[in-house]
Amino acid sequence: MIPFKSVYVVMLLNLYIRETTLVHLIDHGYENVVIAINPRIPEDQTIIKNIKEMVTEASFYMFNATKRRFFFRNVKILLPADWKTENYQKPKYETYDKANIIVADPFLKYGDDPYTLHYGRCGERGRYIHFTPNFLLKDSLLPVYGSRGRVLVHEWAHLRWGVFDEYSKEQPFYESGQNQIKATRCSSDLRGAFVCDGSSCTEGNCRRSNQEDLLKKGCAFLIDKTQHATASIMYMQALASVVDFCNESTHDQEAPHMQNKRCNYQSTWEVIKGSKDCQMTAPMSGTHLPPPPSFAVLQTREPVICLVLDVSGHMNLGNRIIRMRQAAGIFLLQIIPLGVRVGIVTFGDEAEIRAPLTLLSNERRRKQLVSHLPTTANGGSRICKGLLSALQVFQNLGDNNAHGSEIVLVTAGEDKTINSCFSDVVAGGYIIHTITLGMQAATELDQFADMTGGCKFFATDRLDSNGLIDAFIGISSLSGNLSQWSFQLESFAESMKPGQHLSGTVTFDSTVGKESLIIVTWQPYSEAPDILLQDSNEKTYTTKDFVTDFSLGIAYLQIPGTTETGNWTYTVINTLNCSQALTVTVTSRAADHDVPPVTVKVHTNEDTLRFPESLLVYAQVTQGHSPVLEAHVTAIIEHQYGTPFILELTDDGAGADAVKNDGIYSKYFFAPAGNGRHSLKVRVQGKHSSPIRDDSPSWSRAMYIPGYIENGQIQMNPPQPLFTEAGIHTITEGFSRTATGGSFLVSQLPSGPQLDAFPPCRIVDFQVETDDENIYFSWTSPGDNYDQGQASTYEIRMNESPRKLENNFVNATSFNISTLTPQLAGSRETFMFPLKDIPVGNTSSLYFAICTIDKSSLRSEVSNLVRANMWVPAFAIMESVSNDKGSNEMFVVIGSITASCFVISALIYILNKASSLQTQRHICSRERMQLSRKIDVIEETDEVVIQ
């Protein structure tokens, strides 16, 4: 019989959803939402007050907007360690690194736009929401973004339900199928006016200056503050009338915003209804409102860590005990910053506290702890005994102070009794990081990390793997204080024959360089290898310059001061008469507290690959919050058996990559070497002139509202701050980084030969253009298997309705593109087709999509849909979006009577080309006279008709 505690814990685990924190949804309420304040933010109690007011407002607003489904039940606010202590609680599992919402300095040159880091597919959850201190403190920004609570709901929809914005800075206007120039928005029922607010519109009109532009530069669409339309929150939640998301009846499928592009013309409410949250939650009955959210204010403390190390007989295989001792020794000697308290516990059949909590106050204390690391292993494996002994180590801290302490559990053992301590360990409020070795370690170990917000790693027994050292270095600070991080610049390992050498190049850049450390490991208690290190100025270091510990098999060199930038080369020669594994690891800390270092964060979209599904591998390369572009990014995926799988990640906006040039490099992974755990590591090499984007990539964010129409008057907001240095700049030197992405599981992989189960990936950048004679298609080629290899054929089809094209693609009208052979994945494809051969019928516009077919006749998903006008009218008319009064001069530009005048003029021109211009002017003049009785100012006709 399964123990009750085990059943309870498994049930509890199912309530936790794998996200940036342990946030979960129970009985309509979101619980354990974490809002973390960056350590660089100066103390200001008003931030805490305004966060509480924001969340409270958002809770009720979201409850109504989701038709009585969701609200915020409890929220935790995590303060930096250096803010004044007022007996705040100590966090348990809550860390800055895994918060749902962060309060941090602006994205470089980004301003105070609230945004959500969301680069996944439609319906996939984002990483975090970013608010700036100015957004939370300055009431002058309320007219710009709307109330803070409404903005939070806008961003929560990005984060939690994976929907996108319904406006577009890149395409603020578009020409509809009815040949109207319309503002990009949802819903189209929202009224407003086209207003010139730029220097190129000084004449007071929005007429375009050439045929390529819909409207003149500087023309903006201002919303009327008085509205009857209730949608949509993903366009302009600031309006008092807006209380709904766009649904099927209010959604504008023609508008070229990200929601249409990324979600194939589904409305936001359709996507939300299809989310896991909605599937498990019916609307709340009754008419009563939910309770207001409760808040807990927590404060980060200095880390407290206990190493829990396996010394069972399993650790004698593959030199595991030696490798664990080396990796833990590096961790204690160099990686953990001074000021941290560390204890050591070992376990086999029984557990032993080898070292109580010891403050790392100097190098002597570091070496003292290293002396307590185990050297031998035997017997069985009782993981729970080791964990419970770690709880005893923390007891001296007291209950409140022990919360949030970290356990680093390293084990190779299979322990069928591990479930017996789940409830005790989880209830203790400790973060558990797991490092598993080999294939026999209990699969339940991952649950400890999942349930407590810890990291999970896997290290193979391969001698040419540096996975165990990588894992220890990967357990870095979770406080958000980058100055405390130890950045890994190099990690390389190889089994070398006698006399062979391990060599390579590592690049130091100016954002790192303090406490730089070069570490070499070899077989303990044997002769040290010959080491030759040369810096960027050709200064040479040899083995005698390194500090050597023969019992650990470690030699390390601490570079004094700030490391010289540039390329450093290393050579390590095996001096033994037998083969041995040699490793090189290089770490460094931030050079300047005020200059953010180049950072790499690695993860997958899921924890488990269930064959024949695939995983998405992501590497985010940034400096501060700014994306670093054009880096060479390589993922290394290791399994216990077989050679490592090498995957080149790209940031080209095709295949697995959602947005081009956003610093998120990605690729599909679908070829595991076997079932069980896999480790993930990424190597990044930046060029000498790697670009950095200081302008905003296409992440989801709240719109900066330029102004409103209020009571017939234009009310402009201050212009969005412009940064003269915004755009692209470059790093002045190259850089090297290595980062671990932890581990993931593979299951359901059959043995023996496998049928092709991987279709080409969906094309996401399908584009169309037309001229007088031809239509031109372009896209990035997918592969035979997702975004790798070479596909067999393409299909391009069209329909008047985007929904019909998406839902019934195979029966839509097709093109003959048999002459086009797909290129290798990642290539740019183009195809031209004569307009005269397209059966247009009575429609003025058509929708197009493409599908890819591989050699096994597997079909990709239908691509993004694109729209093209099939005939170009003599002119287009601005949509009629005037207010009910029809009484101010700006609405003359878009008044329906004036528009009618030009429709009449157009018809006369088409039906009777010989009609005189005077006749047209007479008709227009008569219409204007009628209009002049209702309005104060008469504008010129060319402000309405786009010539």
Side-chain angles (χ1 to χ4, degrees):
M1 179 178 292
I2 302 175
F4 173 76
K5 282 187 177 181
S6 300
V7 175
Y8 168 77
V9 171
V10 173
M11 291 174 61
L12 180 63
L13 177 64
N14 291 332
L15 296 175
Y16 284 78
I17 300 174
R18 181 186 181 268
E19 282 303 317
T20 50
T21 66
L22 301 179
V23 62
H24 48 280
L25 175 65
I26 298 178
D27 192 21
H28 300 90
Y30 289 110
E31 300 186 1
N32 202 37
V33 177
V34 177
I35 303 176
I37 300 174
N38 189 279
R40 292 172 59 90
I41 303 303
E43 181 171 357
D44 192 329
Q45 294 294 315
T46 307
I47 292 178
I48 302 174
K49 170 181 171 291
N50 288 352
I51 286 175
K52 292 180 179 180
E53 292 177 355
M54 174 181 69
V55 175
T56 301
E57 178 195 6
S59 184
F60 294 114
Y61 184 60
M62 179 170 63
F63 182 70
N64 291 322
T66 57
K67 316 303 179 189
R68 302 180 59 82
R69 282 178 172 84
F70 309 121
F71 62 93
F72 293 118
R73 178 173 283 115
N74 62 65
V75 173
K76 299 174 181 178
I77 304 172
L78 183 62
L79 306 183
D82 60 354
W83 280 33
K84 182 180 179 181
T85 301
E86 295 186 8
N87 295 320
Y88 297 124
Q89 300 177 46
K90 187 175 182 181
K92 292 184 178 180
Y93 316 124
E94 301 82 14
T95 63
Y96 180 88
D97 191 59
K98 295 192 175 184
N100 301 98
I101 302 168
I102 63 171
V103 180
D105 289 333
F107 180 17
L108 290 180
K109 309 298 185 292
Y110 192 174
D112 294 303
D113 286 358
Y115 74 91
T116 301
L117 182 59
H118 176 214
Y119 45 79
R121 295 171 291 191
C122 180
E124 287 189 354
R125 295 172 183 170
R127 302 298 294 172
Y128 58 79
I129 297 169
H130 181 176
F131 292 134
T132 68
N134 282 343
F135 173 78
L136 290 169
L137 292 172
K138 291 187 176 182
D139 290 346
S140 60
L141 293 178
L142 296 179
V144 171
Y145 301 107
S147 69
R148 297 183 184 100
R150 285 173 169 245
V151 171
L152 174 54
V153 174
H154 177 101
E155 298 305 325
W156 188 260
H158 290 313
L159 179 76
R160 189 70 186 182
W161 305 313
V163 298
F164 295 89
D165 290 317
E166 294 167 342
Y167 74 94
S168 173
K169 294 185 68 174
E170 293 74 26
Q171 290 181 270
F173 313 109
Y174 70 99
E175 189 174 331
S176 73
Q178 291 73 42
N179 307 313
Q180 288 182 315
I181 295 176
K182 302 179 70 174
T184 301
R185 65 195 191 281
C186 194
S187 104
S188 57
D189 293 338
L190 287 166
R191 300 187 314 272
F194 294 97
V195 175
C196 289
D197 66 348
S199 59
S200 59
C201 281
T202 55
E203 298 177 359
N205 67 78
C206 284
R207 182 181 61 178
R208 64 181 173 185
S209 55
N210 55 62
Q211 292 296 323
E212 284 72 33
D213 297 327
L214 287 179
L215 297 177
K216 185 176 287 188
K217 183 179 180 181
C219 184
F221 183 73
L222 299 191
I223 286 289
D224 188 355
K225 265 198 171 182
T226 304
Q227 298 280 345
H228 296 297
T230 62
S232 170
I233 292 171
M234 301 315 294
Y235 171 63
M236 193 170 288
Q237 72 288 332
L239 290 175
S241 68
V242 171
V243 293
D244 293 321
F245 295 99
C246 258
N247 57 32
E248 291 177 89
S249 63
T250 58
H251 182 63
D252 183 0
Q253 292 186 344
E254 289 189 316
H257 49 60
M258 290 301 291
Q259 176 63 24
N260 274 336
K261 291 179 180 179
R262 299 287 294 277
C263 295
N264 270 352
Y265 301 90
Q266 289 186 91
S267 69
T268 55
W269 185 238
E270 289 176 270
V271 176
I272 292 171
K273 285 197 301 183
S275 68
K276 294 179 181 178
D277 288 355
C278 266
Q279 290 174 3
M280 60 187 289
T281 308
M284 187 183 292
S285 60
T287 59
H288 62 282
L289 293 175
S294 62
F295 297 91
V297 181
L298 316 176
Q299 187 168 29
T300 303
R301 310 287 174 84
E302 289 296 332
V304 178
I305 299 173
C306 183
L307 303 184
V308 180
L309 308 177
D310 189 350
V311 292
S312 69
H314 298 283
M315 295 297 292
N316 286 319
L317 302 175
N319 290 325
R320 290 171 181 171
I321 188 69
I322 296 175
R323 291 164 51 225
M324 180 180 71
R325 180 177 167 82
Q326 285 180 328
I330 293 171
F331 184 65
L332 294 171
L333 287 172
Q334 299 295 337
I335 304 305
I336 303 179
L338 293 175
V340 176
R341 282 176 288 183
V342 182
I344 300 175
V345 168
T346 59
F347 68 92
D349 289 314
E350 299 295 333
E352 177 187 358
I353 298 176
R354 283 180 166 257
L357 288 179
T358 302
L359 179 66
L360 295 181
S361 55
N362 51 48
E363 298 304 316
R364 182 180 62 82
R365 287 292 183 89
R366 290 183 183 275
K367 293 179 180 179
Q368 179 184 354
L369 275 175
V370 170
S371 67
H372 293 294
L373 293 174
T375 57
T376 60
N378 58 75
S381 177
R382 295 293 181 265
I383 295 172
C384 278
K385 289 187 176 182
L387 290 172
L388 294 175
S389 292
L391 304 192
Q392 295 178 27
V393 170
F394 295 140
Q395 280 181 353
N396 291 336
L397 297 171
D399 291 338
N400 292 333
N401 291 325
H403 288 164
S405 298
E406 300 175 51
I407 294 173
V408 180
L409 173 62
V410 185
T411 182
E414 182 176 357
D415 184 356
K416 295 182 180 180
T417 67
I418 191 171
N419 289 345
S420 63
C421 62
F422 268 173
S423 58
D424 290 333
V425 173
V426 171
Y430 310 111
I431 298 172
I432 302 178
H433 310 290
T434 59
I435 304 175
T436 55
L437 294 86
M439 300 300 294
Q440 302 303 316
T443 56
E444 293 88 348
L445 285 168
D446 292 341
Q447 296 178 8
F448 280 120
D450 290 335
M451 295 171 71
T452 63
C455 304
K456 51 190 176 186
F457 304 94
F458 165 68
T460 71
D461 289 328
R462 298 175 57 93
L463 295 180
D464 57 353
S465 171
N466 210 20
L468 197 52
I469 294 175
D470 294 338
F472 269 100
I473 295 177
I475 304 171
S476 57
S477 170
L478 301 179
S479 68
N481 189 349
L482 295 181
S483 64
Q484 295 181 353
W485 283 26
S486 182
F487 293 91
Q488 194 171 10
L489 278 57
E490 176 69 300
S491 172
F492 198 62
E494 195 165 344
S495 181
M496 309 303 299
K497 294 179 180 179
Q500 282 189 327
H501 64 271
L502 177 67
S503 60
T505 301
V506 59
T507 305
F508 284 88
D509 61 280
S510 59
T511 68
V512 294
K514 282 190 175 180
E515 301 180 28
S516 298
L517 186 71
I518 292 91
I519 306 167
V520 176
T521 70
W522 67 93
Q523 183 73 25
Y525 301 107
S526 63
E527 180 182 351
D530 286 340
I531 305 171
L532 179 64
L533 178 69
Q534 191 172 76
D535 69 13
S536 56
N537 293 323
E538 299 186 355
K539 179 180 179 180
T540 300
Y541 303 86
T542 62
T543 307
K544 64 182 179 58
D545 297 305
F546 284 66
V547 177
T548 304
D549 187 325
F550 291 96
S551 65
L552 286 176
I554 295 175
Y556 58 89
L557 174 66
Q558 183 88 55
I559 307 297
T562 301
T563 309
E564 291 286 343
T565 61
N567 291 332
W568 291 51
T569 60
Y570 60 83
T571 301
V572 183
I573 304 172
N574 180 16
T575 57
L576 297 184
N577 293 324
C578 59
S579 296
Q580 68 167 329
L582 301 177
T583 77
V584 175
T585 303
V586 181
T587 65
S588 188
R589 300 192 192 276
D592 189 331
H593 181 270
D594 295 324
V595 178
V598 174
T599 304
V600 179
K601 296 181 179 180
V602 184
H603 68 279
T604 58
N605 68 325
E606 297 288 347
D607 278 344
T608 301
L609 189 162
R610 296 175 179 85
F611 191 87
E613 297 175 355
S614 63
L615 283 182
L616 286 168
V617 178
Y618 296 109
Q620 181 185 7
V621 186
T622 59
Q623 184 184 15
H625 294 286
S626 294
V628 178
L629 312 182
E630 299 181 14
H632 182 240
V633 182
T634 304
I636 303 163
I637 299 170
E638 291 186 337
H639 184 257
Q640 179 74 358
Y641 308 110
T643 58
F645 189 89
I646 308 299
L647 197 62
E648 300 293 333
L649 309 186
T650 58
D651 184 19
D652 56 6
D657 194 61
V659 179
K660 184 177 181 179
N661 288 340
D662 65 347
I664 312 296
Y665 298 77
S666 55
K667 211 75 169 182
Y668 285 100
F669 173 68
F670 53 86
N675 288 309
R677 291 184 177 91
H678 289 62
S679 68
L680 169 63
K681 178 170 69 175
V682 164
R683 296 170 62 93
V684 180
Q685 191 69 39
K687 301 188 303 182
H688 182 73
S689 57
S690 294
I692 296 180
R693 283 188 62 163
D694 280 348
D695 60 345
S696 169
S698 299
W699 295 336
S700 303
R701 62 193 186 277
M703 178 167 58
Y704 191 103
I705 302 169
Y708 299 95
I709 302 293
E710 188 170 9
N711 297 323
Q713 300 297 317
I714 301 172
Q715 302 290 337
M716 297 300 296
N717 287 321
Q720 188 166 15
L722 297 177
F723 298 92
T724 56
E725 298 177 3
I728 305 290
H729 70 275
T730 59
I731 299 176
T732 57
E733 67 275 322
F735 65 90
S736 297
R737 294 292 186 274
T738 298
T740 178
S743 66
F744 59 87
L745 284 172
V746 173
S747 65
Q748 303 175 22
L749 181 69
S751 59
Q754 301 158 16
L755 297 175
D756 185 358
F758 311 111
C761 67
R762 176 177 179 260
I763 294 172
V764 296
D765 61 349
F766 190 48
Q767 297 176 342
V768 61
E769 294 182 0
T770 60
D771 59 21
D772 292 339
E773 297 182 352
N774 299 303
I775 185 168
Y776 304 89
F777 301 104
S778 62
W779 65 94
T780 301
S781 59
D784 181 78
N785 297 318
Y786 292 113
D787 50 5
Q788 297 156 52
Q790 185 173 358
S792 179
T793 58
Y794 294 117
E795 282 185 6
I796 298 178
R797 296 180 182 268
M798 66 181 183
N799 198 285
E800 297 178 19
S801 164
R803 285 298 177 92
K804 290 180 180 178
L805 181 60
E806 180 187 7
N807 296 332
N808 198 12
F809 178 82
V810 294
N811 291 324
T813 304
S814 64
F815 287 74
N816 182 4
I817 57 171
S818 57
T819 58
L820 180 62
T821 300
Q823 302 181 68
L824 285 173
S827 304
R828 195 64 185 166
E829 304 272 30
T830 59
F831 185 76
M832 181 187 71
F833 200 82
L835 282 176
K836 63 182 178 63
D837 295 337
I838 298 177
V840 175
N842 295 323
T843 185
S844 63
S845 63
L846 288 170
Y847 290 86
F848 301 85
I850 188 170
C851 175
T852 314
I853 304 170
D854 71 5
K855 298 177 182 62
S856 300
S857 297
L858 297 176
R859 303 174 67 91
S860 72
E861 297 180 45
V862 177
S863 73
N864 62 298
L865 277 58
V866 293
R867 173 183 166 274
N869 283 336
M870 304 315 297
W871 57 272
V872 181
F875 53 77
I877 301 174
M878 291 185 184
E879 63 174 322
S880 175
V881 286
S882 62
N883 66 354
D884 296 336
K885 298 177 182 180
S887 63
N888 87 66
E889 57 186 283
M890 296 317 303
F891 292 114
V892 176
V893 180
I894 55 171
S896 59
I897 298 177
T898 308
S900 300
C901 163
F902 295 104
V903 172
I904 295 172
S905 297
L907 291 173
I908 291 174
Y909 180 79
I910 294 170
L911 295 174
N912 188 358
K913 293 184 179 180
S915 296
S916 67
L917 182 61
Q918 182 63 36
T919 303
Q920 297 180 42
R921 288 176 176 171
H922 174 73
I923 295 174
C924 285
S925 176
R926 183 177 60 197
E927 294 290 345
R928 285 178 179 167
M929 290 177 64
Q930 296 174 4
L931 179 62
S932 66
R933 299 186 181 97
K934 298 183 178 181
I935 58 180
D936 297 328
V937 179
I938 302 297
E939 297 287 348
E940 291 298 323
T941 61
D942 60 4
E943 291 175 20
V944 182
V945 181
I946 306 305
Q947 300 293 344

